[in-house]
């Protein structure tokens, strides 16, 4: 009889257990919005997790934002002496140096003086003279930076760092790290369209990731990716931030080799990788190169990338070898 009562009690307890549900958190950071969706079989304190995510994003902002004068990166930009910037920034510089080398200088974290010169910082196109352009180019290049004993130094005071092309990917990864610390295995993290996923949806199916059609004034899907393995999905595009002047389009993507906005037809690049910061850097770098040059570089470095070119309103997809090797990744 006691055995029977224990069985009945166990059945009642199991029956009372709640099935997992999605927890959704969101907020504002880095001039954009962030969203986190996750589920877990364990009891989770979502308020505590939300607070920890906000704390992590605030810390990153204090380190890397060029829009606040008290950030680590802004203080480094304003001075000309060795400075301790922290392991996070030094790590991102290390990743950037790899990508810069493999793109022969097209991608570079010291691009900010050129960005300022062309007027993108204050959203006012200013076409520079050739002499001003050549002068500004002397301030551009990661070779101006040196690291010694965890101290970062620049050889010219005009050299300015901008981590925006890699920092958002880094941020997505750090938010994912928060979830991992709470033993959450199934999640989707998104900041400003940059994403990382892990595990699966509640029903065991893959996460669905929409790739936006890269056309101005539109918010429609180009395609949907099905991701059921740990992966960062980073997309860079030229179709949101640009100037049109006298029949010519000036993209905010500037080739650090020439100091000028890119003129090729590639309008979007999506990169998939396990490291969110590295994926973010490569998506910008390949967009800088364009599909013709970028496809060669991406294949040489085994990068999973989707290029989208636009010619007179017609879009064309170009995929790297590694991207094509992924099976059943696109929703038909």
């Amino acid at each position: 009889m006691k055995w029977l009562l224990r069985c009945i009690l166990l059945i009642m307890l199991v029956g009372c257990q709640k099935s997992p549900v999605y927890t959704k958190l969101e907020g504002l950071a880095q001039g954009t919005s962030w969203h986190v969706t996750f589920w877990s079989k364990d009891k989770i304190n979502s308020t505590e997790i939300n607070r920890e995510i906000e704390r992590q994003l605030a810390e990153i902002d204090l380190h890397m934002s060029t829009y606040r004068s008290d950030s680590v990166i802004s203080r480094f930009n304003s001075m000309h002496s060795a400075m301790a910037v922290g392991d996070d920034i030094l790590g991102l510089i290390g990743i950037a140096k790899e990508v810069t080398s493999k793109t022969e200088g097209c991608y570079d974290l010291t691009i900010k003086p050129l960005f300022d010169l062309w007027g993108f910082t204050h959203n006012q196109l200013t076409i520079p003279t050739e002499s001003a352009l050549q002068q500004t180019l002397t301030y551009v290049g990661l070779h101006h930076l040196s690291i010694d004993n965890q101290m970062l130094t620049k050889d010219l005071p005009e050299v300015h760092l901008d981590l925006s092309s890699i920092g958002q990917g880094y941020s997505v990864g750090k938010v994912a790290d928060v979830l991992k610390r709470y033993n959450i295995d199934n999640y989707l993290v998104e900041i400003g369209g940059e994403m990382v996923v892990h595990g699966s949806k509640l029903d065991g199916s893959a996460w669905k990731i929409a790739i936006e059609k890269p056309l101005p004034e539109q918010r429609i899907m180009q395609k949907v990716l099905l991701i059921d393995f740990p992966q960062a999905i980073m997309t860079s595009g030229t179709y949101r931030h640009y100037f049109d002047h006298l029949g010519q389009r000036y993209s905010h993507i500037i080739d650090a080799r020439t100091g000028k906005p890119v003129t090729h037809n590639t309008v979007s690049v999506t990169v998939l990788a396990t490291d969110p910061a590295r994926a973010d850097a490569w998506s910008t770098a390949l967009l800088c190169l364009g599909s013709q040059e970028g496809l060669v570089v991406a294949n040489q470095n085994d990068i999973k990338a989707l290029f989208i070119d636009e010619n007179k309103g017609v879009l064309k997809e170009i995929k790297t070898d590694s991207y094509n090797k992924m099976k059943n990744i696109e929703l038909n």
Side-chain angles (χ1 to χ4, degrees):
M1 178 64 69
K2 290 181 179 179
W3 176 83
L4 179 60
L5 289 173
R6 284 198 297 268
C7 287
I8 293 172
L9 181 60
L10 180 61
I11 292 171
M12 290 176 65
L13 288 172
V14 172
C16 289
Q17 287 180 347
K18 291 183 179 181
S19 298
V21 296
Y22 289 118
T23 297
K24 297 187 177 183
L25 308 174
E26 61 182 32
L28 299 175
Q30 301 176 356
T32 185
S33 59
W34 63 265
H35 301 84
V36 171
T37 300
F38 65 86
W39 66 271
S40 174
K41 294 179 181 179
D42 301 326
K43 187 176 180 180
I44 297 294
N45 186 333
S46 60
T47 301
E48 184 179 326
I49 292 175
N50 191 93
R51 186 165 54 244
E52 182 63 17
I53 290 173
E54 293 279 12
R55 187 203 65 77
Q56 179 66 81
L57 290 172
E59 182 178 316
I60 293 172
D61 191 59
L62 183 58
H63 284 199
M64 303 183 187
S65 174
T66 56
Y67 293 96
R68 49 186 300 175
S69 60
D70 62 339
S71 73
V72 172
I73 207 71
S74 291
R75 286 189 286 116
F76 174 78
N77 286 343
S78 66
M79 61 193 301
H80 187 206
S81 60
M83 178 177 169
V85 296
D87 291 341
D88 51 354
I89 292 176
L90 292 181
L92 294 182
I93 291 173
I95 293 172
K97 282 186 174 181
E98 294 176 20
V99 178
T100 298
S101 175
K102 291 173 180 178
T103 61
E104 298 183 350
C106 188
Y107 172 81
D108 200 292
L109 292 183
T110 63
I111 200 78
K112 190 176 187 304
L114 289 169
F115 206 73
D116 296 341
L117 181 69
W118 284 90
F120 285 102
T121 302
H122 300 292
N123 202 33
Q124 180 64 54
L125 176 65
T126 305
I127 301 175
T129 64
E130 187 61 27
S131 61
L133 181 61
Q134 293 305 317
Q135 179 62 38
T136 305
L137 275 171
T138 64
Y139 314 142
V140 175
L142 284 173
H143 61 276
H144 290 296
L145 302 178
S146 59
I147 299 171
D148 183 36
N149 245 357
Q150 301 300 101
M151 302 290 284
L152 184 64
T153 306
K154 53 185 176 179
D155 60 12
L156 294 171
E158 296 88 354
V159 175
H160 284 188
L161 271 173
D162 186 342
L163 301 175
S164 59
S165 64
I166 193 172
Q168 208 158 74
Y170 174 79
S171 300
V172 170
K174 296 301 285 186
V175 171
D177 286 344
V178 171
L179 301 179
K180 292 175 187 176
R181 290 200 291 272
Y182 285 87
N183 297 316
I184 296 170
D185 295 321
N186 302 280
Y187 56 79
L188 184 154
V189 176
E190 178 264 334
I191 302 178
E194 312 289 38
M195 301 183 190
V196 63
V197 300
H198 196 280
S200 66
K201 297 173 66 177
L202 263 171
D203 60 4
S205 63
W207 296 100
K208 294 180 180 179
I209 308 299
I211 303 299
E212 189 175 57
K213 190 177 288 292
L215 293 175
E217 312 299 331
Q218 295 191 29
R219 292 286 184 179
I220 57 178
M221 289 188 302
Q222 171 76 11
K223 62 170 29 344
V224 174
L225 303 183
L226 302 174
I227 310 295
D228 59 0
F229 48 96
Q231 200 75 176
I233 307 97
M234 303 287 158
T235 299
S236 295
T238 63
Y239 55 99
R240 292 284 178 225
H241 196 182
Y242 59 85
F243 295 120
D244 282 333
H245 180 67
L246 299 178
Q248 183 172 345
R249 177 157 295 181
Y250 295 86
S251 166
H252 79 289
I253 300 296
I254 296 177
D255 187 333
R257 298 170 298 186
T258 65
K260 300 177 181 180
V262 298
T263 57
H264 52 62
N265 291 331
T266 301
V267 290
S268 172
V269 177
T270 297
V271 169
L272 286 78
T274 54
D275 183 340
R278 189 169 268 101
D280 196 8
W282 270 114
S283 68
T284 303
L286 294 177
L287 183 62
C288 181
L289 292 173
S291 62
Q292 186 172 352
E293 189 178 355
L295 184 64
V296 176
V297 173
N299 282 334
Q300 288 173 342
N301 292 278
D302 198 30
I303 296 170
K304 294 173 286 191
L306 168 67
F307 297 82
I308 301 180
D309 287 3
E310 184 269 330
N311 188 11
K312 298 179 180 178
V314 177
L315 298 177
K316 178 184 177 183
E317 296 183 357
I318 303 100
K319 303 169 184 178
T320 62
D321 295 340
S322 292
Y323 184 99
N324 281 323
K325 289 177 182 177
M326 295 186 292
K327 303 298 182 184
N328 303 317
I329 191 176
E330 296 183 353
L331 182 64
N332 297 320

